[in-house]
Amino acid sequence: MPASADLPLLCHPDSPEPAVRALAVGARVLPDGGLALVWRLAGDLAALRIPSAATALPPERLWAHTCFEAFVGTPGEAAYREFNFSPNGQWMRFDFAGYRERVESPMLPAPQITVNRAADTLELAVRLGAHHLPPGELCVGLTAVVEAEDGRDSGHHSYWSLRHPAGQPDFHHREGLALALRVPTP
């Protein structure tokens, strides 16, 4: 994989969302060992439930609303890290020893997050520093949850990923970590 890529996310077939025309992620390895990611959602944003900067959400449940995510592991290792980024500017990190086996996460400084919204596009950019990532070769899953505005307390969700394993949407499944990147050791 080159040091920079623009990758389309695929909607899980069990959760179509006609209000989304396209969803892609730009991924770029930084010279200092970090990773720059930019999610671009194009569509009828008025039909989607998108948290604003004025909307505080429980950090452990950012994924229950429109949220952009990165899952990062290393080849041959069961451990991985999940990052959740909300369009309201909040973020959360979860560390796992193995498949959905959550362990305590050490404190790290917040990544740099920028959100831009226009009439029919939403862009969320994040810069993960080298301290957020394991060194060397990475297996990365880039995903998104999009919540539709359907008038209920909890809207319909669609699930987007580089690759969906068979069955229900499952971003934690190792097959979803479909992007191989090599980051320089700082």
Side-chain angles (χ1 to χ4, degrees):
M1 170 56 71
S4 180
D6 201 17
L7 307 159
L9 296 184
L10 307 171
C11 187
H12 191 277
D14 292 345
S15 66
E17 179 47 63
V20 177
R21 283 193 312 277
L23 185 48
V25 183
R28 183 168 50 95
V29 174
L30 302 171
D32 66 358
L35 188 59
L37 301 168
V38 181
W39 285 263
R40 292 177 190 89
L41 185 156
D44 181 4
L45 299 188
L48 303 175
R49 194 174 280 177
I50 300 171
S52 71
T55 306
L57 298 170
E60 298 233 348
R61 292 193 46 83
L62 297 178
W63 53 264
H65 305 280
T66 296
C67 183
F68 303 104
E69 303 175 341
F71 291 78
V72 181
T74 55
E77 297 292 327
Y80 62 99
R81 185 168 281 175
E82 173 185 356
F83 294 93
N84 296 170
F85 306 105
S86 173
N88 72 359
Q90 287 180 268
W91 78 289
M92 186 67 186
R93 187 187 89 238
F94 303 97
D95 288 351
F96 297 87
Y99 178 75
R100 295 187 182 266
E101 238 180 273
R102 198 160 150 204
V103 294
E104 189 162 336
S105 300
M107 293 295 294
L108 291 176
Q112 179 182 347
I113 301 170
T114 307
V115 179
N116 292 303
R117 184 175 173 163
D120 64 350
T121 58
L122 173 66
E123 181 178 281
L124 185 141
V126 64
R127 181 185 170 119
L128 293 170
H131 56 277
H132 289 108
L133 306 168
E137 192 174 341
L138 302 178
C139 303
V140 180
L142 299 171
T143 67
V145 175
V146 178
E147 185 177 18
E149 182 64 73
D150 63 4
R152 296 182 293 182
D153 287 340
S154 178
H156 162 79
H157 293 81
S158 59
Y159 302 93
W160 301 76
S161 183
L162 292 172
R163 178 188 304 151
H164 291 282
Q168 299 286 37
D170 185 358
F171 296 155
H172 290 260
H173 196 287
R174 198 65 181 199
E175 284 181 29
L177 278 66
L179 179 61
L181 295 174
R182 180 143 187 87
V183 295
T185 303

